[in-house]
Amino acid sequence: MSWLHKSILARNMWFIRTLLQTEGTPAAAVRCYSTKLSPATSAATKASPTGSNAPTERKSIVPSSYRYVYQEFLPDPKVEWRNSVREKLERKDMLDRRANIDIPEFYVGSVVAVTSSDSHAENKTSRFVGICILKEKCGLRARFILRNVVDHQGIEISYDLYDPTLQKIEVLRLEKRLDESLLYLRDALDEYSTFDVNMEPEILPEGSPVPVNDVKVVLKPRPWYARWERHNLQGVANIDEHTNERRRRKAEAVAQPWEKYDLMKEYRRSIPEEEQKEIFTEIYSQLHSLELARKKMKRKRTFVKPTKLA
């Protein structure tokens, strides 16, 4: 008998021995392998995606207003300035800073009072009250500018939002304006930039929307800080009075009204919504706890203890 016949015979004997061993075992112990789907799997596959078995999308717990209230947490949209490690470290430092100082919600047009350290002041601190005319930049470089007219002299101070020398930030009047920047107040009448340094805070009811002040300022005659006729401003009343035909033609020549329809330009200017959700989900728990502590302190300040009657 050749070696080939011997190998075939040995294989057949092994197969017969295996069948005899499994003959007395229960059917559940025998493993069967098939390429067909199981009934449960096939039923789930055939089910409609709109049925009750379809997985439901989880609703985000981050409020949609975070992108406006905490705008400085969003990174710079310019690709050449992006660095994920630096952005993550900056967000951690910003949260640590917010744990030590209350940085309230305010916008361009709000009246804010800032108390900062000043080595040349009498009490080593200085307090400035003014209207916020600009908020710009992001991360630890976020800054804002306050303007006030004191003794008929316009004064502007630029503050870094996360500057460690800031001791207190108070919002005396929370409101918005029609424009994203109020730099044109430099060329407006002084009455639109004059605020009392002893102004009392105006407290809004909790949960009420931020009011929009639709006042339109009156500009002084030229010369101006900029060519405001080219900026499409909504909060200025008398631009046309100080703009002649030649300046108006130049403004129309350089105008680009099609930019508001340029989707790619808008995409390059902003952070995608998916990335915004990822960033705010990362910092939501700490910001939410800080908000609760701020609301608790606000209720304590607004509560007036009744006097005991005689």
Side-chain angles (χ1 to χ4, degrees), residues 54-110:
T56 57
E57 185 179 356
R58 294 183 61 184
K59 187 176 180 181
S60 177
I61 61 175
V62 181
S64 58
S65 60
Y66 268 36
R67 68 181 66 182
Y68 308 108
V69 180
Y70 304 105
Q71 194 172 7
E72 68 272 8
F73 281 92
L74 298 178
D76 198 316
K78 293 184 179 180
V79 181
E80 58 268 21
W81 292 101
R82 296 298 302 272
N83 187 314
S84 59
V85 177
R86 176 182 55 82
E87 293 166 3
K88 196 174 186 67
L89 293 175
E90 282 190 353
R91 286 195 291 268
K92 183 179 180 302
D93 291 342
M94 292 159 70
L95 290 173
D96 293 342
R97 178 59 179 158
R98 282 182 173 269
N100 295 322
I101 182 176
D102 180 20
I103 302 180
E105 170 189 4
F106 67 95
Y107 303 91
V108 172
S110 301

Side-chain angles (χ1 to χ4, degrees), residues 8-37:
I8 294 175
L9 182 60
R11 185 177 300 177
N12 291 339
M13 292 296 294
W14 173 84
F15 183 70
I16 293 171
R17 194 182 302 111
T18 305
L19 288 177
L20 291 176
Q21 289 178 358
T22 58
E23 195 174 23
T25 58
V30 180
R31 297 182 180 180
C32 300
Y33 299 94
S34 175
T35 57
K36 293 183 179 180
L37 295 174

Side-chain angles (χ1 to χ4, degrees), residues 68-72 98 103-110 112 132-138 141-146 159 161 174 180-183:
Y68 308 108
V69 180
Y70 304 105
Q71 194 172 7
E72 68 272 8
R98 282 182 173 269
I103 302 180
E105 170 189 4
F106 67 95
Y107 303 91
V108 172
S110 301
V112 183
C132 179
I133 62 175
L134 182 67
K135 286 186 73 175
E136 61 177 358
K137 298 184 180 181
C138 59
R141 301 175 304 281
R143 74 183 188 111
F144 61 97
I145 299 178
L146 299 184
Y159 294 100
L161 190 59
L174 179 64
E180 297 180 355
S181 173
L182 299 182
L183 292 178

Side-chain angles (χ1 to χ4, degrees), residues 2-4 11 63 99 103 121 128 137 164 168-169 178 214 253 276 280 296:
S2 63
W3 65 270
L4 181 60
R11 185 177 300 177
I103 302 180
F128 184 77
K137 298 184 180 181
K168 191 176 183 181
I169 300 177
L178 299 177
D214 56 354
Q276 292 186 22
F280 287 127
K296 187 176 180 181

Side-chain angles (χ1 to χ4, degrees), residues 25-293:
T25 58
V30 180
R31 297 182 180 180
C32 300
Y33 299 94
S34 175
T35 57
K36 293 183 179 180
L37 295 174
S38 62
T41 309
S42 60
T45 306
K46 292 180 181 179
S48 173
T50 58
S52 59
N53 295 330
T56 57
E57 185 179 356
R58 294 183 61 184
K59 187 176 180 181
S60 177
I61 61 175
V62 181
S64 58
S65 60
Y66 268 36
R67 68 181 66 182
Y68 308 108
V69 180
Y70 304 105
Q71 194 172 7
E72 68 272 8
F73 281 92
L74 298 178
D76 198 316
K78 293 184 179 180
V79 181
E80 58 268 21
W81 292 101
R82 296 298 302 272
N83 187 314
S84 59
V85 177
R86 176 182 55 82
E87 293 166 3
K88 196 174 186 67
L89 293 175
E90 282 190 353
R91 286 195 291 268
K92 183 179 180 302
D93 291 342
M94 292 159 70
L95 290 173
D96 293 342
R97 178 59 179 158
R98 282 182 173 269
N100 295 322
I101 182 176
D102 180 20
I103 302 180
E105 170 189 4
F106 67 95
Y107 303 91
V108 172
S110 301
V111 181
V112 183
V114 176
T115 304
S116 60
S117 301
D118 188 358
S119 58
H120 303 287
E122 182 179 359
N123 299 324
K124 303 301 181 182
T125 59
S126 62
R127 185 175 183 267
F128 184 77
V129 177
I131 182 173
C132 179
I133 62 175
L134 182 67
K135 286 186 73 175
E136 61 177 358
K137 298 184 180 181
C138 59
L140 293 174
R141 301 175 304 281
R143 74 183 188 111
F144 61 97
I145 299 178
L146 299 184
R147 175 179 173 83
N148 199 352
V149 176
V150 182
D151 294 334
H152 307 286
Q153 179 67 39
I155 299 176
E156 294 182 3
I157 300 181
S158 174
Y159 294 100
D160 290 333
L161 190 59
Y162 293 93
D163 188 353
T165 62
L166 299 186
Q167 298 183 2
K168 191 176 183 181
I169 300 177
E170 305 171 81
V171 178
L172 305 180
R173 181 186 299 163
L174 179 64
E175 64 181 14
K176 297 179 181 179
R177 290 295 183 94
L178 299 177
D179 300 303
E180 297 180 355
S181 173
L182 299 182
L183 292 178
Y184 55 78
L185 289 180
R186 297 171 176 175
D187 298 319
L189 299 178
D190 292 346
E191 60 187 73
Y192 297 103
S193 302
T194 304
F195 300 94
D196 187 8
V197 294
N198 299 319
M199 177 180 176
E200 294 292 332
E202 301 175 3
I203 301 176
L204 292 176
E206 187 174 345
S208 60
V210 180
V212 179
N213 191 346
D214 56 354
V215 63
K216 295 193 175 184
V217 305
V218 178
L219 298 182
K220 300 176 183 177
R222 292 177 186 269
W224 290 341
Y225 171 76
R227 298 169 180 172
W228 300 122
E229 69 275 4
R230 302 186 182 185
H231 289 71
N232 192 23
L233 300 175
Q234 305 295 324
V236 181
N238 63 333
I239 281 187
D240 294 336
E241 297 179 8
H242 303 288
T243 305
N244 54 27
E245 187 63 27
R246 181 178 62 86
R247 295 180 185 274
R248 191 175 293 108
R249 286 199 306 268
K250 286 187 176 182
E252 293 176 355
V254 300
Q256 297 178 349
W258 58 84
E259 279 192 353
K260 59 182 179 181
Y261 304 107
D262 193 343
L263 298 181
M264 286 304 300
K265 190 166 187 177
E266 182 65 25
Y267 176 78
R268 291 191 294 267
R269 284 178 180 174
S270 58
I271 302 296
E273 187 175 355
E274 297 79 9
E275 190 172 353
Q276 292 186 22
K277 289 182 178 179
E278 182 181 350
I279 292 173
F280 287 127
T281 303
E282 173 189 342
I283 61 178
Y284 170 73
S285 59
Q286 299 186 48
L287 288 179
H288 185 60
S289 61
L290 292 174
E291 283 182 354
L292 294 178

